[in-house]
PDB file of all heavy atoms in Angstrom:
ATOM      1  N   LEU A   1     -47.474 -34.156 -36.488  1.00 89.00           N
ATOM      2  CA  LEU A   1     -47.456 -35.402 -35.728  1.00 89.00           C
ATOM      3  C   LEU A   1     -46.054 -35.751 -35.253  1.00 89.00           C
ATOM      4  O   LEU A   1     -45.874 -36.284 -34.153  1.00 89.00           O
ATOM      5  CB  LEU A   1     -48.019 -36.538 -36.577  1.00 89.00           C
ATOM      6  CG  LEU A   1     -49.523 -36.469 -36.881  1.00 89.00           C
ATOM      7  CD1 LEU A   1     -49.927 -37.544 -37.885  1.00 89.00           C
ATOM      8  CD2 LEU A   1     -50.341 -36.607 -35.599  1.00 89.00           C
ATOM      9  N   SER A   2     -45.047 -35.450 -36.062  1.00 90.00           N
ATOM     10  CA  SER A   2     -43.666 -35.723 -35.661  1.00 90.00           C
ATOM     11  C   SER A   2     -43.221 -34.788 -34.543  1.00 90.00           C
ATOM     12  O   SER A   2     -42.461 -35.192 -33.649  1.00 90.00           O
ATOM     13  CB  SER A   2     -42.720 -35.582 -36.860  1.00 90.00           C
ATOM     14  OG  SER A   2     -43.043 -36.518 -37.869  1.00 90.00           O
ATOM     15  N   LEU A   3     -43.700 -33.555 -34.569  1.00 87.00           N
ATOM     16  CA  LEU A   3     -43.341 -32.606 -33.507  1.00 87.00           C
ATOM     17  C   LEU A   3     -43.854 -33.068 -32.152  1.00 87.00           C
ATOM     18  O   LEU A   3     -43.171 -32.913 -31.134  1.00 87.00           O
ATOM     19  CB  LEU A   3     -43.911 -31.220 -33.816  1.00 87.00           C
ATOM     20  CG  LEU A   3     -43.184 -30.349 -34.826  1.00 87.00           C
ATOM     21  CD1 LEU A   3     -43.941 -29.048 -35.027  1.00 87.00           C
ATOM     22  CD2 LEU A   3     -41.755 -30.064 -34.367  1.00 87.00           C
ATOM     23  N   GLY A   4     -45.049 -33.639 -32.126  1.00 84.00           N
ATOM     24  CA  GLY A   4     -45.649 -34.008 -30.856  1.00 84.00           C
ATOM     25  C   GLY A   4     -45.338 -35.409 -30.395  1.00 84.00           C
ATOM     26  O   GLY A   4     -45.770 -35.801 -29.299  1.00 84.00           O
ATOM     27  N   ASP A   5     -44.596 -36.173 -31.172  1.00 84.00           N
ATOM     28  CA  ASP A   5     -44.337 -37.560 -30.801  1.00 84.00           C
ATOM     29  C   ASP A   5     -43.188 -37.654 -29.799  1.00 84.00           C
ATOM     30  O   ASP A   5     -42.232 -36.893 -29.864  1.00 84.00           O
ATOM     31  CB  ASP A   5     -43.995 -38.381 -32.048  1.00 84.00           C
ATOM     32  CG  ASP A   5     -43.982 -39.863 -31.769  1.00 84.00           C
ATOM     33  OD1 ASP A   5     -42.965 -40.345 -31.258  1.00 84.00           O
ATOM     34  OD2 ASP A   5     -44.989 -40.530 -32.052  1.00 84.00           O
ATOM     35  N   TYR A   6     -43.308 -38.581 -28.877  1.00 82.00           N
ATOM     36  CA  TYR A   6     -42.215 -38.843 -27.949  1.00 82.00           C
ATOM     37  C   TYR A   6     -42.033 -40.331 -27.644  1.00 82.00           C
ATOM     38  O   TYR A   6     -40.982 -40.751 -27.160  1.00 82.00           O
ATOM     39  CB  TYR A   6     -42.435 -38.089 -26.634  1.00 82.00           C
ATOM     40  CG  TYR A   6     -43.462 -38.721 -25.722  1.00 82.00           C
ATOM     41  CD1 TYR A   6     -43.079 -39.559 -24.683  1.00 82.00           C
ATOM     42  CD2 TYR A   6     -44.810 -38.471 -25.891  1.00 82.00           C
ATOM     43  CE1 TYR A   6     -44.013 -40.135 -23.835  1.00 82.00           C
ATOM     44  CE2 TYR A   6     -45.750 -39.030 -25.047  1.00 82.00           C
ATOM     45  CZ  TYR A   6     -45.345 -39.855 -24.017  1.00 82.00           C
ATOM     46  OH  TYR A   6     -46.290 -40.414 -23.195  1.00 82.00           O
ATOM     47  N   ILE A   7     -43.061 -41.134 -27.970  1.00 85.00           N
ATOM     48  CA  ILE A   7     -42.968 -42.565 -27.684  1.00 85.00           C
ATOM     49  C   ILE A   7     -41.923 -43.214 -28.588  1.00 85.00           C
ATOM     50  O   ILE A   7     -41.192 -44.117 -28.167  1.00 85.00           O
ATOM     51  CB  ILE A   7     -44.343 -43.227 -27.840  1.00 85.00           C
ATOM     52  CG1 ILE A   7     -45.323 -42.623 -26.842  1.00 85.00           C
ATOM     53  CG2 ILE A   7     -44.248 -44.726 -27.639  1.00 85.00           C
ATOM     54  CD1 ILE A   7     -46.710 -43.213 -26.909  1.00 85.00           C
ATOM     55  N   ALA A   8     -41.860 -42.765 -29.854  1.00 86.00           N
ATOM     56  CA  ALA A   8     -40.851 -43.317 -30.762  1.00 86.00           C
ATOM     57  C   ALA A   8     -39.452 -43.058 -30.226  1.00 86.00           C
ATOM     58  O   ALA A   8     -38.588 -43.949 -30.234  1.00 86.00           O
ATOM     59  CB  ALA A   8     -41.026 -42.725 -32.152  1.00 86.00           C
ATOM     60  N   ALA A   9     -39.217 -41.847 -29.754  1.00 85.00           N
ATOM     61  CA  ALA A   9     -37.897 -41.530 -29.202  1.00 85.00           C
ATOM     62  C   ALA A   9     -37.613 -42.337 -27.941  1.00 85.00           C
ATOM     63  O   ALA A   9     -36.472 -42.717 -27.675  1.00 85.00           O
ATOM     64  CB  ALA A   9     -37.804 -40.039 -28.901  1.00 85.00           C
ATOM     65  N   LYS A  10     -38.646 -42.624 -27.171  1.00 85.00           N
ATOM     66  CA  LYS A  10     -38.466 -43.372 -25.922  1.00 85.00           C
ATOM     67  C   LYS A  10     -38.071 -44.811 -26.168  1.00 85.00           C
ATOM     68  O   LYS A  10     -37.221 -45.364 -25.457  1.00 85.00           O
ATOM     69  CB  LYS A  10     -39.757 -43.303 -25.107  1.00 85.00           C
ATOM     70  CG  LYS A  10     -39.690 -44.046 -23.786  1.00 85.00           C
ATOM     71  CD  LYS A  10     -40.988 -43.916 -23.017  1.00 85.00           C
ATOM     72  CE  LYS A  10     -40.906 -44.670 -21.672  1.00 85.00           C
ATOM     73  NZ  LYS A  10     -42.165 -44.541 -20.905  1.00 85.00           N
ATOM     74  N   PHE A  11     -38.661 -45.438 -27.200  1.00 87.00           N
ATOM     75  CA  PHE A  11     -38.454 -46.867 -27.410  1.00 87.00           C
ATOM     76  C   PHE A  11     -37.374 -47.179 -28.450  1.00 87.00           C
ATOM     77  O   PHE A  11     -36.755 -48.234 -28.376  1.00 87.00           O
ATOM     78  CB  PHE A  11     -39.767 -47.537 -27.821  1.00 87.00           C
ATOM     79  CG  PHE A  11     -40.735 -47.685 -26.680  1.00 87.00           C
ATOM     80  CD1 PHE A  11     -41.759 -46.780 -26.502  1.00 87.00           C
ATOM     81  CD2 PHE A  11     -40.609 -48.721 -25.776  1.00 87.00           C
ATOM     82  CE1 PHE A  11     -42.651 -46.908 -25.447  1.00 87.00           C
ATOM     83  CE2 PHE A  11     -41.494 -48.862 -24.723  1.00 87.00           C
ATOM     84  CZ  PHE A  11     -42.516 -47.943 -24.546  1.00 87.00           C
ATOM     85  N   VAL A  12     -37.193 -46.317 -29.440  1.00 86.00           N
ATOM     86  CA  VAL A  12     -36.182 -46.594 -30.472  1.00 86.00           C
ATOM     87  C   VAL A  12     -35.177 -45.465 -30.612  1.00 86.00           C
ATOM     88  O   VAL A  12     -34.327 -45.512 -31.503  1.00 86.00           O
ATOM     89  CB  VAL A  12     -36.855 -46.860 -31.843  1.00 86.00           C
ATOM     90  CG1 VAL A  12     -37.779 -48.046 -31.765  1.00 86.00           C
ATOM     91  CG2 VAL A  12     -37.602 -45.626 -32.347  1.00 86.00           C
ATOM     92  N   GLY A  13     -35.272 -44.450 -29.747  1.00 81.00           N
ATOM     93  CA  GLY A  13     -34.372 -43.305 -29.865  1.00 81.00           C
ATOM     94  C   GLY A  13     -33.139 -43.374 -28.997  1.00 81.00           C
ATOM     95  O   GLY A  13     -32.281 -42.490 -29.089  1.00 81.00           O
ATOM     96  N   GLY A  14     -33.056 -44.419 -28.150  1.00 79.00           N
ATOM     97  CA  GLY A  14     -31.906 -44.478 -27.262  1.00 79.00           C
ATOM     98  C   GLY A  14     -31.915 -43.308 -26.296  1.00 79.00           C
ATOM     99  O   GLY A  14     -32.861 -43.112 -25.538  1.00 79.00           O
ATOM    100  N   SER A  15     -30.876 -42.498 -26.340  1.00 81.00           N
ATOM    101  CA  SER A  15     -30.779 -41.314 -25.486  1.00 81.00           C
ATOM    102  C   SER A  15     -31.318 -40.063 -26.162  1.00 81.00           C
ATOM    103  O   SER A  15     -31.141 -38.953 -25.643  1.00 81.00           O
ATOM    104  CB  SER A  15     -29.320 -41.086 -25.077  1.00 81.00           C
ATOM    105  OG  SER A  15     -28.491 -40.899 -26.222  1.00 81.00           O
ATOM    106  N   THR A  16     -31.966 -40.217 -27.311  1.00 81.00           N
ATOM    107  CA  THR A  16     -32.490 -39.069 -28.043  1.00 81.00           C
ATOM    108  C   THR A  16     -33.596 -38.385 -27.251  1.00 81.00           C
ATOM    109  O   THR A  16     -34.548 -39.027 -26.807  1.00 81.00           O
ATOM    110  CB  THR A  16     -33.032 -39.506 -29.409  1.00 81.00           C
ATOM    111  OG1 THR A  16     -32.001 -40.150 -30.154  1.00 81.00           O
ATOM    112  CG2 THR A  16     -33.552 -38.311 -30.195  1.00 81.00           C
ATOM    113  N   GLN A  17     -33.475 -37.081 -27.083  1.00 84.00           N
ATOM    114  CA  GLN A  17     -34.469 -36.281 -26.382  1.00 84.00           C
ATOM    115  C   GLN A  17     -35.227 -35.432 -27.398  1.00 84.00           C
ATOM    116  O   GLN A  17     -34.626 -34.782 -28.254  1.00 84.00           O
ATOM    117  CB  GLN A  17     -33.802 -35.363 -25.353  1.00 84.00           C
ATOM    118  CG  GLN A  17     -33.098 -36.103 -24.224  1.00 84.00           C
ATOM    119  CD  GLN A  17     -34.077 -36.695 -23.232  1.00 84.00           C
ATOM    120  OE1 GLN A  17     -35.017 -36.055 -22.790  1.00 84.00           O
ATOM    121  NE2 GLN A  17     -33.838 -37.945 -22.872  1.00 84.00           N
ATOM    122  N   MET A  18     -36.554 -35.448 -27.298  1.00 87.00           N
ATOM    123  CA  MET A  18     -37.396 -34.620 -28.150  1.00 87.00           C
ATOM    124  C   MET A  18     -38.286 -33.749 -27.269  1.00 87.00           C
ATOM    125  O   MET A  18     -38.290 -33.879 -26.037  1.00 87.00           O
ATOM    126  CB  MET A  18     -38.236 -35.501 -29.079  1.00 87.00           C
ATOM    127  CG  MET A  18     -37.418 -36.319 -30.064  1.00 87.00           C
ATOM    128  SD  MET A  18     -38.419 -37.342 -31.168  1.00 87.00           S
ATOM    129  CE  MET A  18     -39.305 -36.069 -32.104  1.00 87.00           C
ATOM    130  N   ILE A  19     -39.053 -32.873 -27.912  1.00 85.00           N
ATOM    131  CA  ILE A  19     -39.929 -31.983 -27.154  1.00 85.00           C
ATOM    132  C   ILE A  19     -40.890 -32.792 -26.291  1.00 85.00           C
ATOM    133  O   ILE A  19     -41.094 -32.498 -25.105  1.00 85.00           O
ATOM    134  CB  ILE A  19     -40.707 -31.059 -28.107  1.00 85.00           C
ATOM    135  CG1 ILE A  19     -39.755 -30.042 -28.750  1.00 85.00           C
ATOM    136  CG2 ILE A  19     -41.828 -30.330 -27.371  1.00 85.00           C
ATOM    137  CD1 ILE A  19     -40.416 -29.141 -29.767  1.00 85.00           C
ATOM    138  N   GLY A  20     -41.484 -33.817 -26.883  1.00 83.00           N
ATOM    139  CA  GLY A  20     -42.420 -34.643 -26.126  1.00 83.00           C
ATOM    140  C   GLY A  20     -41.766 -35.325 -24.943  1.00 83.00           C
ATOM    141  O   GLY A  20     -42.402 -35.534 -23.893  1.00 83.00           O
ATOM    142  N   THR A  21     -40.482 -35.692 -25.063  1.00 85.00           N
ATOM    143  CA  THR A  21     -39.766 -36.329 -23.964  1.00 85.00           C
ATOM    144  C   THR A  21     -39.614 -35.376 -22.787  1.00 85.00           C
ATOM    145  O   THR A  21     -39.810 -35.754 -21.628  1.00 85.00           O
ATOM    146  CB  THR A  21     -38.383 -36.794 -24.432  1.00 85.00           C
ATOM    147  OG1 THR A  21     -38.511 -37.530 -25.653  1.00 85.00           O
ATOM    148  CG2 THR A  21     -37.713 -37.654 -23.388  1.00 85.00           C
ATOM    149  N   ILE A  22     -39.275 -34.119 -23.092  1.00 85.00           N
ATOM    150  CA  ILE A  22     -39.130 -33.110 -22.041  1.00 85.00           C
ATOM    151  C   ILE A  22     -40.467 -32.867 -21.356  1.00 85.00           C
ATOM    152  O   ILE A  22     -40.551 -32.756 -20.129  1.00 85.00           O
ATOM    153  CB  ILE A  22     -38.573 -31.802 -22.626  1.00 85.00           C
ATOM    154  CG1 ILE A  22     -37.229 -32.054 -23.329  1.00 85.00           C
ATOM    155  CG2 ILE A  22     -38.432 -30.754 -21.537  1.00 85.00           C
ATOM    156  CD1 ILE A  22     -36.145 -32.548 -22.423  1.00 85.00           C
ATOM    157  N   ILE A  23     -41.531 -32.793 -22.143  1.00 85.00           N
ATOM    158  CA  ILE A  23     -42.861 -32.565 -21.565  1.00 85.00           C
ATOM    159  C   ILE A  23     -43.252 -33.719 -20.663  1.00 85.00           C
ATOM    160  O   ILE A  23     -43.730 -33.515 -19.534  1.00 85.00           O
ATOM    161  CB  ILE A  23     -43.895 -32.368 -22.692  1.00 85.00           C
ATOM    162  CG1 ILE A  23     -43.583 -31.092 -23.491  1.00 85.00           C
ATOM    163  CG2 ILE A  23     -45.308 -32.288 -22.114  1.00 85.00           C
ATOM    164  CD1 ILE A  23     -44.449 -30.924 -24.721  1.00 85.00           C
ATOM    165  N   ALA A  24     -43.056 -34.946 -21.134  1.00 83.00           N
ATOM    166  CA  ALA A  24     -43.451 -36.121 -20.355  1.00 83.00           C
ATOM    167  C   ALA A  24     -42.669 -36.212 -19.043  1.00 83.00           C
ATOM    168  O   ALA A  24     -43.225 -36.602 -18.010  1.00 83.00           O
ATOM    169  CB  ALA A  24     -43.249 -37.381 -21.182  1.00 83.00           C
ATOM    170  N   SER A  25     -41.397 -35.863 -19.064  1.00 82.00           N
ATOM    171  CA  SER A  25     -40.576 -35.968 -17.859  1.00 82.00           C
ATOM    172  C   SER A  25     -40.875 -34.881 -16.838  1.00 82.00           C
ATOM    173  O   SER A  25     -40.519 -35.012 -15.661  1.00 82.00           O
ATOM    174  CB  SER A  25     -39.090 -35.918 -18.239  1.00 82.00           C
ATOM    175  OG  SER A  25     -38.763 -34.680 -18.853  1.00 82.00           O
ATOM    176  N   ASN A  26     -41.525 -33.789 -17.280  1.00 81.00           N
ATOM    177  CA  ASN A  26     -41.816 -32.679 -16.371  1.00 81.00           C
ATOM    178  C   ASN A  26     -43.286 -32.566 -15.987  1.00 81.00           C
ATOM    179  O   ASN A  26     -43.634 -31.661 -15.218  1.00 81.00           O
ATOM    180  CB  ASN A  26     -41.367 -31.346 -17.004  1.00 81.00           C
ATOM    181  CG  ASN A  26     -39.872 -31.140 -16.937  1.00 81.00           C
ATOM    182  OD1 ASN A  26     -39.322 -30.769 -15.911  1.00 81.00           O
ATOM    183  ND2 ASN A  26     -39.210 -31.395 -18.050  1.00 81.00           N
ATOM    184  N   ILE A  27     -44.136 -33.441 -16.497  1.00 80.00           N
ATOM    185  CA  ILE A  27     -45.563 -33.337 -16.188  1.00 80.00           C
ATOM    186  C   ILE A  27     -45.807 -33.417 -14.688  1.00 80.00           C
ATOM    187  O   ILE A  27     -46.616 -32.654 -14.133  1.00 80.00           O
ATOM    188  CB  ILE A  27     -46.348 -34.431 -16.940  1.00 80.00           C
ATOM    189  CG1 ILE A  27     -46.460 -34.080 -18.419  1.00 80.00           C
ATOM    190  CG2 ILE A  27     -47.740 -34.603 -16.339  1.00 80.00           C
ATOM    191  CD1 ILE A  27     -47.207 -35.105 -19.238  1.00 80.00           C
ATOM    192  N   ASN A  28     -45.118 -34.336 -14.012  1.00 78.00           N
ATOM    193  CA  ASN A  28     -45.297 -34.489 -12.569  1.00 78.00           C
ATOM    194  C   ASN A  28     -44.281 -33.687 -11.766  1.00 78.00           C
ATOM    195  O   ASN A  28     -44.600 -33.177 -10.692  1.00 78.00           O
ATOM    196  CB  ASN A  28     -45.189 -35.972 -12.181  1.00 78.00           C
ATOM    197  CG  ASN A  28     -46.318 -36.800 -12.767  1.00 78.00           C
ATOM    198  OD1 ASN A  28     -47.459 -36.359 -12.836  1.00 78.00           O
ATOM    199  ND2 ASN A  28     -45.984 -38.016 -13.204  1.00 78.00           N
ATOM    200  N   LEU A  29     -43.059 -33.557 -12.281  1.00 78.00           N
ATOM    201  CA  LEU A  29     -42.012 -32.867 -11.534  1.00 78.00           C
ATOM    202  C   LEU A  29     -42.165 -31.353 -11.587  1.00 78.00           C
ATOM    203  O   LEU A  29     -42.015 -30.672 -10.565  1.00 78.00           O
ATOM    204  CB  LEU A  29     -40.629 -33.266 -12.081  1.00 78.00           C
ATOM    205  CG  LEU A  29     -40.239 -34.741 -11.936  1.00 78.00           C
ATOM    206  CD1 LEU A  29     -38.896 -34.992 -12.593  1.00 78.00           C
ATOM    207  CD2 LEU A  29     -40.203 -35.134 -10.464  1.00 78.00           C
ATOM    208  N   ASN A  30     -42.467 -30.826 -12.758  1.00 82.00           N
ATOM    209  CA  ASN A  30     -42.547 -29.377 -12.930  1.00 82.00           C
ATOM    210  C   ASN A  30     -43.582 -29.051 -14.012  1.00 82.00           C
ATOM    211  O   ASN A  30     -43.223 -28.756 -15.159  1.00 82.00           O
ATOM    212  CB  ASN A  30     -41.175 -28.817 -13.319  1.00 82.00           C
ATOM    213  CG  ASN A  30     -41.076 -27.320 -13.082  1.00 82.00           C
ATOM    214  OD1 ASN A  30     -42.079 -26.609 -13.073  1.00 82.00           O
ATOM    215  ND2 ASN A  30     -39.854 -26.837 -12.888  1.00 82.00           N
TER     216      ASN A  30
END
């Protein structure tokens, strides 16, 4: 569950990038 999470990093992670963050940012772009 921690591997697939990205909402926590988005709201309380500041500039922290996780795997889920990269996936979410590329779903529409690439």
Side-chain angles (χ1 to χ4, degrees):
L1 291 172
S2 298
L3 281 178
D5 191 278
Y6 77 97
I7 298 180
K10 180 179 180 180
F11 286 98
V12 300
S15 60
T16 302
Q17 296 286 314
M18 296 181 65
I19 290 177
T21 311
I22 303 297
I23 295 173
S25 62
N26 283 281
I27 286 180
N28 295 322
L29 296 177
N30 198 335

